[in-house]
């Protein structure tokens, strides 16, 4: 068990806190882990925190309250993670430009996209022979679709939807206010 598993569980009640915990390991994840461990009075280890969550019937409510109370710190941690991810992407792309790889990457992209579309064209319009395993063709089509997604993410970026999600979460209504608005229903 690792922190990503714990983060998935926590995300059900406290999505931002769970995302920080399940994100890249570092100061942000360490701070979130310590905060959660102190909430449950347990050791700062994934197994101990998960066990404490499973044995506390009010764990999800307590985690949501913790997220609301420490929202500023948690959002700072999440921002630091996003900035680190963006800096990593920028440095990788800049290294390819500085090293003169941009032209080669461009032509490699053109070649791969042409191969992907050619393979799809052949399979969909000409079919495959009887002696070719259809499961293998399905796996190749799936892998090529994934590769196309990676290519698009490299050239156009993939963080826009994540940024929109963070904005929506930041402006969301906390659980406590929601239950008061509904007349105390839970």
């Amino acid at each position: 068990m690792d922190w990503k598993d714990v983060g998935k569980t926590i995300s059900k009640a406290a999505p931002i806190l769970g995302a920080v915990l399940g994100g890249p390991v570092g100061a942000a994840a360490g701070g979130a882990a310590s905060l959660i461990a102190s909430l449950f009075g347990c050791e700062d280890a994934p197994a101990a925190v998960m066990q404490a969550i499973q044995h506390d019937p009010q764990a999800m409510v307590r985690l949501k309250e913790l997220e609301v109370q420490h929202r500023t710190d948690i959002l700072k941690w999440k921002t630091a993670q996003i900035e680190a991810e963006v800096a990593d992407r920028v440095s990788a792309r800049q290294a390819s430009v500085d090293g003169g790889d941009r032209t080669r990457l461009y032509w490699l992209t053109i070649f791969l996209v042409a191969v992907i579309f050619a393979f799809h064209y052949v399979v969909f319009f000409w079919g495959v022979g009887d002696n070719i395993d259809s499961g293998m063709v399905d796996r190749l089509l799936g892998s090529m679709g994934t590769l196309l997604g990676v290519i698009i993410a490299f050239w156009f970026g993939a963080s826009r939807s994540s940024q929109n999600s963070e904005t929506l979460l930041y402006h969301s209504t906390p659980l406590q206010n929601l239950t008061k608005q509904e007349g105390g229903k839970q």
Side-chain angles (χ1 to χ4, degrees), residues 49-105:
V49 171
M50 186 63 94
Q51 185 178 15
I53 291 171
Q54 292 171 344
H55 289 93
D56 184 351
Q58 293 295 315
M60 294 301 169
V61 173
R62 293 177 66 195
L63 286 165
K64 183 62 179 178
E65 290 171 352
L66 181 73
E67 182 180 70
V68 170
Q69 291 168 358
H70 295 278
R71 181 178 218 134
T72 304
D73 291 333
I74 294 168
L75 288 174
K76 285 179 187 176
W77 294 334
K78 185 62 181 165
T79 301
Q81 283 181 335
I82 292 170
E83 288 172 350
E85 291 172 9
V86 169
D88 183 48
R89 283 190 207 111
V90 168
S91 68
R93 289 182 181 154
Q94 190 60 42
S96 70
V97 171
D98 292 345
D101 288 339
R102 187 149 180 98
T103 302
R104 282 182 269 168
L105 288 172

Side-chain angles (χ1 to χ4, degrees), residues 106-118:
Y106 173 78
W107 286 110
L108 177 62
T109 300
I110 296 297
F111 172 74
L112 289 173
V113 170
V115 167
I116 290 168
F117 280 107

Side-chain angles (χ1 to χ4, degrees), residues 7-176:
K8 287 178 188 176
T9 301
I10 291 174
S11 292
K12 295 172 186 171
I16 303 171
L17 183 59
V20 168
L21 195 60
V25 177
S34 296
L35 186 64
I36 295 165
S38 68
L39 174 70
F40 293 107
C42 65
E43 181 186 348
D44 185 1
V49 171
M50 186 63 94
Q51 185 178 15
I53 291 171
Q54 292 171 344
H55 289 93
D56 184 351
Q58 293 295 315
M60 294 301 169
V61 173
R62 293 177 66 195
L63 286 165
K64 183 62 179 178
E65 290 171 352
L66 181 73
E67 182 180 70
V68 170
Q69 291 168 358
H70 295 278
R71 181 178 218 134
T72 304
D73 291 333
I74 294 168
L75 288 174
K76 285 179 187 176
W77 294 334
K78 185 62 181 165
T79 301
Q81 283 181 335
I82 292 170
E83 288 172 350
E85 291 172 9
V86 169
D88 183 48
R89 283 190 207 111
V90 168
S91 68
R93 289 182 181 154
Q94 190 60 42
S96 70
V97 171
D98 292 345
D101 288 339
R102 187 149 180 98
T103 302
R104 282 182 269 168
L105 288 172
Y106 173 78
W107 286 110
L108 177 62
T109 300
I110 296 297
F111 172 74
L112 289 173
V113 170
V115 167
I116 290 168
F117 280 107
F119 188 79
H120 279 77
Y121 179 83
V122 167
V123 169
F124 289 128
F125 293 106
W126 290 347
V128 293
D130 293 335
N131 59 345
I132 297 176
D133 180 23
S134 64
M136 181 62 76
V137 173
D138 289 343
R139 284 190 290 271
L140 282 170
L141 288 172
S143 296
M144 289 181 169
T146 301
L147 177 60
L148 186 61
V150 170
I151 290 169
I152 291 169
F154 176 81
W155 288 105
F156 299 106
S159 60
R160 187 73 179 153
S161 64
S162 176
Q163 182 182 8
N164 291 341
S165 298
E166 295 301 323
T167 302
L168 289 172
L169 285 171
Y170 180 76
H171 294 293
S172 66
T173 305
L175 185 61
Q176 294 170 341

